[in-house]
């Protein structure tokens, strides 16, 4: 019985550790400002899955997320101050049809294949 309990706890902990989440800290209509953990800032798959999951959970037509890495100095307002553009990791958009895409700041996310220019 102890072995079964330990196995269940281990599985639950592992599942929680692999969950993709965004820390959404500000909203402007269908645009969200979010942070990912610093250790995930280079993980394009993590960022894309976390953004997709967040938008799917919103049940809205269009969802747009501007994503940064954890920071004490968070952008605020819309439009936010231009100094934050250089530090933005990614820009995710999901349309009403469910079509989605993530563009990355390839100056910061070195392994990204889909980039935007600032």
């Amino acid at each position: 019985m102890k072995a079964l309990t330990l196995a269940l706890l281990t599985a639950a902990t592992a599942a929680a550790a692999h969950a993709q989440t965004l820390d959404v800290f500000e909203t402007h209509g269908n645009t969200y400002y979010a942070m990912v953990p610093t250790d995930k800032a280079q993980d394009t798959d993590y960022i894309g899955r976390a953004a997709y999951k967040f938008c799917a959970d919103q049940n809205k037509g269009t969802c747009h997320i501007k994503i940064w890495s954890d920071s004490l100095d968070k952008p605020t307002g819309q439009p936010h101050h231009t100094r934050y553009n250089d530090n933005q990791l990614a820009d995710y958009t999901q349309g009403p049809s469910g079509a989605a895409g993530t563009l990355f700041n390839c100056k910061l996310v070195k392994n990204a294949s889909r980039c935007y220019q600032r």
Side-chain angles (χ1 to χ4, degrees), residues 4-18:
L4 177 60
T5 303
L6 180 59
L8 291 173
L9 285 172
T10 301
T13 303
H18 293 292

Side-chain angles (χ1 to χ4, degrees), residues 17-111:
H18 293 292
Q20 287 85 32
T21 60
L22 294 175
D23 174 20
V24 175
F25 60 89
E26 192 164 326
T27 304
H28 300 280
N30 288 340
T31 299
Y32 302 89
Y33 291 5
M35 296 282 180
V36 293
T38 303
D39 65 329
K40 299 295 184 189
Q42 296 297 311
D43 189 339
T44 57
D45 290 335
Y46 177 94
I47 292 170
R49 285 190 307 264
Y52 177 84
K53 181 181 179 332
F54 177 82
C55 285
D57 290 347
Q58 298 309 302
N59 294 321
K60 292 184 177 179
T62 300
C63 180
H64 180 221
I65 308 172
K66 295 175 173 276
I67 303 167
W68 289 267
S69 179
D70 279 339
S71 172
L72 295 176
D73 185 24
K74 296 178 180 179
T76 58
Q78 189 176 27
H80 55 269
H81 192 280
T82 56
R83 76 174 189 259
Y84 295 105
N85 292 342
D86 292 338
N87 297 327
Q88 185 179 337
L89 294 176
D91 201 286
Y92 176 88
T93 302
Q94 183 173 315
S97 67
T102 309
L103 293 175
F104 293 91
N105 178 348
C106 288
K107 290 180 182 176
L108 298 177
V109 184
K110 301 300 183 190
N111 64 334

